Amino acid sequence: MFDFIVDHYNYWTYIGLMIIGFYAMMTKRNLIKKIIGMNIFQSAIIFFFISSSVKKGVTVPILEHAHGHAAHGLEHVTHAVDAMQYANPLPHVLMLTAIVVMVATLGVALAVAIMIYRKYHTLEEDEIIMAIKRD
Amino acid sequence: MIEQIPILIVVIPLLSSFLCPLIGLWRKEGCYFWAVFSLSLHCLASVNTLVTVIESGTINYYVGNWSPPWGIEVVVDHLSAYTVVIVSFMSLFAAIYAKRTVEQELPGKIVHFYTVFLLLVTGLSGIVVTGDVFNLYVFLEISALACYALIAVGEDRAPVASFRYVVMGTIGACFYLLGVGYLYIVTGSLNMGDLSTLLPELYANRVVQTAFVFMLIGSGIKIALFPLHTWQPDAYTYAPSAVSVIISTAMAKTSIYALIRIIFSVFTLDFIIGFAPIFDIICWISAIAMIFGSIYAITQSNLKRMLAYSSIANVGYIMLGVGLSTSTTLGLTPVLMHILNHAVMKGCMFMVACAFIYKAGLRDIKDFVGLGRKMPYASFAFILAALAMIGMPPSVGFITKWYLILAALDAGKYIFVGVIFFSTLLMIVYFWRVIEIMYIRVEEGEGSEIRVDEMPMSMLTPALILAVLCFVIGIVWLSGAPSPILDAVNSGFGLGVLP
Amino acid sequence: MKTLSIIIQVLLGAALIYGTLDMPKWGDPHSPAASHVSPYYLQHSIEHTATPNVVTSVLADYRGYDTLGETTVIFTAGMACILLLKRRDKSQGKRHV
C-alpha cells in the first residue's frame, strides 16, 4: 500500500493540480480567475502526459554519435540504437502541440474578456449579470 | 489528384482561409465570393468521396506515406463520408446566406469573419476524416476556437455567452485529452484502428474504464447533452445569423460523430455491453433531455432561444437512438437519419428566424403578427420546416420519429415510445403558437393592404431549398435509396443483430 | 453553487484516483507506452529522416499532420483575436447594438 503510493507519486501531483484548477474554474466569480483556473487545469494534463515518458536513469531522446552518418547519406547506421537508453519521445511531441493549443485558447479567452470589459466595465460575474438584467 | 481527395477535404478550406485576408486587402466584398467558391469545391470533394466510398469501401490514406501506427492515417468510411457531405453542404448554405446579414451586423469585420468561418469548416472537416485520436483533439480545438470567436462578435450579450462557452468547451476538450492520455498510457498507441485491436484484452483495466467515462463526458459537453447543456441557449441566441445556422447544423453533428466514433470504433461494442449499463443511462438522460428541452422551449418568447431549446430536445432524440442501438436490429439507423434530418430542418428555421431579425428587427414571437403576409415566402419556408419538425408525413421529422418508435418497440422499452409521443405533443404546442401569430392573428386597425417586404434572394434561396428538402429527403428515405450507407455503417460496427 | 462544485470536485477526484490504480509505475522502462510505438521512432529516425533529435523527426515528419493542425490553431487564434478586438472606424458611424 505504501509502496503503491510512493511509486505513483507523479499521478497524485497531477490529480491535485487538476482539482485545484477545476475548482477555480467552477467557483471563482472573477473572469480572470476562471481563466487562470483553466490554465492550471490544462497544465496538469500536460504534466500527466510528460510524466509518462520517463524511464529511470535515461537521457533525452537525442541520439548520440549520430552526427556525420546522415551527411554521408548512409542508409544504415553502423551501431544499432538501443531504445532503452532514451526517454520516450512521443509524449513530448504530443505535448508540444497541446501547449500551443493551450496558449491559443488562453489568448482567445482573454480577448473575449477584453470585449466583456469594454462593454460592461467590470470583470466580476455578479456585476455583469446585474448589468445584463438591467438592460 | 483523385486519390488525394481525402486529404483535400481538409486542405481546401485551410488554403482558402489563408488566402482570404489577401483577397480582403484587394477588395472586401470579394471575400464572400471566395468563401462560396471554396466551399463549393469542398462540396464537390465530399460528394466525390461519398461516391468512392460507396463503390469501393473504406478509404485509408496515410499522411506523408507513413503507415499507422507510426504515422497519422485519414480513414474515410461510410459514416465519415456521410457526415462530411452534410457538413460541407450546410456550410455552403450558411456561407451563401451570410452575405447580407454579415454586412448588416459586422460592417468592419467582413474579411476576418470569412477567414474564421473557413477555419471553422476546416476544423469540422478535420474531425470527421481523421483516424487518430490525438489528431481529433487538435482539429476539435481548431473548430472550437473559431466558434468561440464567431459567437462572441454577435449582438447584445454575445461576449458573455461566448465566455461561458469558452470555459465549458475547454473543460470538455481537456476531459477528452485526458481520456486520450489514459488510453495512451496503457496501450502506447494513438491510432483508432490500432487501439480497437489492443483494447479488448484490457477491458477490465480500470484505466480504460476511466478513459471511457472521461471521453464520454468531454463529448457530452460539446454536444450539449442534458445536464451539460447550459452554454447552448445563450450561444445560439446571441450569435450572428450565419453563425447560428452553421453551429446548430454542422458543429453539433460533428460532435455527435466524434462521440459515435469513440464509442463504436475505439471502444467497440463488447466493451460497452460488458462494462456497465451505460446505454441505459444514456437512454434515460436523453428522455429527460427531450422532455425538458421541449418544456423550456414552450416558455420562451424569443424565437431563436426557442429554437435553441428545441435543439437540446433533438439532441435527446439522437442520443436516444444511440442508447437503443445495441438492443435493436435497426442499429444506428435512426441516429444517422436524424443527423441529416435535424440539420436540414433546424438550418431552415434558423435562417428564417434570423431573416426576421435582419429585415424587421423582430425577435419576440408576440411581435410576429402579420408576418405571414408581409414576408410570404419566408413564412412559407418556416411553416414547411415546422411541419417537418412536428412530424407530418412524409417529412423528414416523421421518418425519424417513426424509426425511433420502431427501435424502441423492437428493444421492448415501451416507455420511450410514450416519451417520444409526449415530446412531439409539446413540439406541436410551441410551433403552433408561432404559426398562429404569424398567420392567423390580425393587428388592430390594420388595413386590407399589406406591403410585401420579402427578404433578399441571397438569403431566401438557401432557406427555400432547405425547406423543400425537408420533404424531398423524407421521400428519399422512404424509398430506401440510402440503405447501402446505413447497412454498411451498421455492419461495420457490428450492430443490427440482437445479442 | 459552492456545494455543487465541492460535490463535483470530490467525484472528479474519486474518478481520477480510481483510474490511477492500474497505471504503470512511474519510470517503468517496460510500460506499454514505452515499448509499443516509440522504439520504432528511436531506431529508424536517422535512417528515415537523418535527424538525431527524435522529437523533431516525429514532430515534423512522422506526425507532421499534427504540426499542420497546430500551426492552424495559432493562425485561428490570431484571426480570432483580430476579429474580436478590432475597433470600429470612426468614419463608419456609431454602431447600433
Side-chain angles (χ1 to χ4, degrees):
Chain A
M1 175 69 180
F2 187 65
D3 287 334
F4 177 76
I5 296 182
V6 168
D7 281 337
H8 293 76
Y9 76 93
N10 62 325
Y11 301 122
W12 313 132
T13 320
Y14 107 85
I15 288 178
L17 269 179
M18 253 185 91
I19 295 196
I20 293 175
F22 197 59
Y23 178 76
M25 264 208 281
M26 283 196 69
T27 322
K28 297 290 179 188
R29 292 270 149 235
N30 190 330
L31 296 186
I32 299 292
K33 289 186 184 173
K34 279 189 194 282
I35 294 178
I36 293 178
M38 185 172 90
N39 218 353
I40 297 178
F41 185 66
Q42 286 173 312
S43 301
I45 298 183
I46 294 178
F47 280 153
F48 166 64
F49 263 90
I50 297 283
S51 74
S52 75
S53 86
V54 170
K55 299 177 204 168
K56 274 241 160 59
V58 294
T59 174
V60 294
I62 300 181
L63 302 172
E64 299 172 353
H65 313 296
H67 284 285
H69 287 280
H72 298 304
L74 285 178
E75 281 297 304
H76 42 272
V77 194
T78 46
H79 41 265
V81 173
D82 181 15
M84 295 292 253
Q85 271 184 12
Y86 300 100
N88 190 354
L90 190 56
H92 294 266
V93 171
L94 302 178
M95 285 308 106
L96 280 174
T97 306
I99 291 175
V100 168
V101 166
M102 179 175 98
V103 170
T105 312
L106 180 68
V108 174
L110 286 172
V112 176
I114 292 181
M115 276 186 91
I116 295 180
Y117 186 74
R118 277 186 194 162
K119 199 158 184 176
Y120 298 105
H121 301 290
T122 173
L123 281 176
E124 298 287 329
E125 211 181 11
D126 346 359
E127 295 175 20
I128 296 175
I129 294 180
M130 273 195 330
I132 290 177
K133 284 211 177 95
R134 254 186 284 129
D135 288 341
Chain B
M1 188 67 161
I2 290 293
E3 66 266 5
Q4 313 292 341
I5 290 229
I7 200 67
L8 276 183
I9 294 179
V10 178
V11 165
I12 290 178
L14 183 63
L15 283 181
S16 337
S17 75
F18 286 160
L19 293 175
C20 196
L22 298 175
I23 294 186
L25 276 181
W26 167 53
R27 187 172 294 188
K28 282 206 184 47
E29 296 78 23
C31 284
Y32 165 72
F33 297 104
W34 175 246
V36 171
F37 170 67
S38 65
L39 286 174
S40 327
L41 285 180
H42 188 244
C43 285
L44 282 175
S46 58
V47 169
N48 184 332
T49 314
L50 181 64
V51 168
T52 316
V53 169
I54 293 182
E55 282 171 7
S56 29
T58 307
I59 303 178
N60 281 13
Y61 177 90
Y62 301 156
V63 182
N65 231 355
W66 300 110
S67 54
W70 301 291
I72 298 180
E73 159 179 51
V74 168
V75 177
V76 186
D77 63 358
H78 295 259
L79 179 63
S80 310
Y82 177 73
T83 314
V84 86
V85 166
I86 296 176
V87 166
S88 56
F89 274 97
M90 280 299 138
S91 31
L92 178 64
F93 285 147
I96 296 178
Y97 176 84
K99 179 168 194 284
R100 297 297 189 110
T101 55
V102 169
E103 282 169 10
Q104 188 198 47
E105 291 170 6
L106 305 166
K109 302 183 177 184
I110 297 182
V111 175
H112 299 290
F113 176 86
Y114 285 112
T115 312
V116 181
F117 190 88
L118 286 169
L119 283 167
L120 174 63
V121 177
T122 310
L124 295 177
S125 317
I127 294 177
V128 176
V129 297
T130 185
D132 185 279
V133 285
F134 187 74
N135 203 16
L136 199 147
Y137 169 74
V138 175
F139 279 100
L140 190 73
E141 284 294 314
I142 295 179
S143 64
L145 283 178
C147 206
Y148 303 151
L150 285 175
I151 292 178
V153 288
E155 55 186 15
D156 195 16
R157 60 185 101 149
V160 180
S162 176
F163 190 82
R164 181 163 212 165
Y165 182 27
V166 168
V167 173
M168 290 194 78
T170 310
I171 296 178
C174 286
F175 275 170
Y176 174 80
L177 183 61
L178 196 59
V180 167
Y182 276 30
L183 284 180
Y184 174 71
I185 213 170
V186 284
T187 55
S189 171
L190 290 167
N191 186 303
M192 286 185 191
D194 202 23
L195 279 173
S196 64
T197 50
L198 283 174
L199 277 177
E201 55 227 18
L202 291 169
Y203 279 163
N205 196 333
R206 294 183 198 125
V207 181
V208 170
Q209 294 168 356
T210 324
F212 180 69
V213 170
F214 277 129
M215 282 173 140
L216 206 60
I217 297 181
S219 308
I221 295 180
K222 298 297 282 188
I223 70 178
L225 192 51
F226 177 61
L228 309 160
H229 69 285
T230 45
W231 60 270
Q232 190 176 357
D234 281 334
Y236 281 21
T237 312
Y238 300 110
S241 312
V243 174
S244 290
V245 173
I246 194 172
I247 58 178
S248 64
T249 53
M251 176 118 187
K253 306 301 168 263
T254 316
S255 316
I256 292 173
Y257 164 84
L259 183 68
I260 295 178
R261 186 57 80 193
I262 294 168
I263 295 182
F264 289 102
S265 285
V266 177
F267 297 91
T268 46
L269 217 48
D270 308 316
F271 175 77
I272 301 157
I273 298 181
F275 171 36
I278 284 276
F279 273 12
D280 291 334
I281 301 176
I282 291 181
C283 283
W284 283 105
I285 292 180
S286 42
I288 300 177
M290 278 159 45
I291 297 187
F292 273 100
S294 302
I295 291 182
Y296 277 123
I298 293 181
T299 62
Q300 300 304 321
S301 63
N302 186 332
L303 180 63
K304 278 176 84 172
R305 210 179 176 89
M306 186 185 96
L307 293 176
Y309 277 110
S310 165
S311 285
I312 295 179
N314 276 285
V315 164
Y317 277 95
I318 297 181
M319 292 310 288
L320 181 65
V322 170
L324 290 174
S325 61
T326 48
S327 358
T328 160
T329 49
L330 287 173
L332 277 177
T333 306
V335 177
L336 293 179
M337 289 178 163
H338 205 50
I339 288 179
L340 175 59
N341 301 345
H342 182 237
V344 172
M345 296 189 288
K346 207 31 87 67
C348 176
M349 283 203 269
F350 264 110
M351 283 186 182
V352 174
C354 298
F356 289 162
I357 298 178
Y358 168 77
K359 203 68 191 167
L362 301 173
R363 290 173 177 74
D364 262 20
I365 298 180
K366 40 190 191 311
D367 299 332
F368 286 174
V369 183
L371 264 182
R373 271 151 301 201
K374 203 158 143 208
M375 298 172 75
Y377 289 107
S379 313
F380 176 64
F382 192 84
I383 290 233
L384 280 184
L387 286 176
M389 274 297 241
I390 294 176
M392 191 176 90
S395 67
V396 287
F398 167 72
I399 305 284
T400 310
K401 294 187 210 277
W402 178 241
Y403 271 86
L404 265 179
I405 293 179
L406 278 182
L409 287 174
D410 205 11
K413 303 188 179 164
Y414 302 106
I415 187 161
F416 295 120
V417 180
V419 169
I420 296 175
F421 273 121
F422 185 52
S423 75
T424 310
L425 222 57
L426 294 173
M427 274 189 195
I428 295 180
V429 169
Y430 61 78
F431 279 121
W432 177 247
R433 195 169 47 128
V434 182
I435 298 178
E436 184 210 355
I437 293 184
M438 277 193 336
Y439 276 100
I440 299 185
R441 270 200 223 159
V442 178
E443 244 173 44
E444 302 292 315
E446 197 170 73
S448 53
E449 48 169 293
I450 297 179
R451 215 172 17 113
V452 169
D453 190 16
E454 189 50 76
M455 61 199 222
M457 270 319 272
S458 72
M459 291 166 67
L460 183 57
T461 321
L464 274 180
I465 292 179
L466 283 178
V468 167
L469 274 180
C470 284
F471 284 84
V472 167
I473 292 185
I475 300 178
V476 168
W477 283 123
L478 278 177
S479 74
S483 45
I485 305 179
L486 301 171
D487 292 333
V489 172
N490 278 336
S491 57
F493 290 148
L495 291 165
V497 282
L498 286 173
Chain C
M1 187 61 189
K2 253 206 161 106
T3 50
L4 175 68
S5 119
I6 302 244
I7 294 175
I8 295 184
Q9 308 308 322
V10 168
L11 284 175
L12 179 67
L16 288 168
I17 294 181
Y18 178 74
T20 321
L21 291 174
D22 275 339
M23 279 203 195
K25 245 171 32 168
W26 190 47
D28 181 12
H30 296 285
S31 63
S35 41
H36 181 50
V37 169
S38 308
Y40 184 87
Y41 295 136
L42 287 162
Q43 281 153 6
H44 298 268
S45 170
I46 298 283
E47 166 193 343
H48 285 163
T49 59
T51 312
N53 189 336
V54 185
V55 174
T56 305
S57 75
V58 175
L59 189 71
D61 203 349
Y62 292 102
R63 293 188 74 97
Y65 189 40
D66 272 345
T67 311
L68 175 71
E70 172 190 335
T71 46
T72 312
V73 167
I74 302 182
F75 181 63
T76 310
M79 283 292 134
C81 287
I82 299 180
L83 179 67
L84 290 171
L85 296 175
K86 190 172 175 193
R87 282 198 195 265
R88 183 75 39 117
D89 287 339
K90 300 285 187 284
S91 59
Q92 288 184 348
K94 198 163 151 29
R95 170 209 273 223
H96 50 261
V97 178

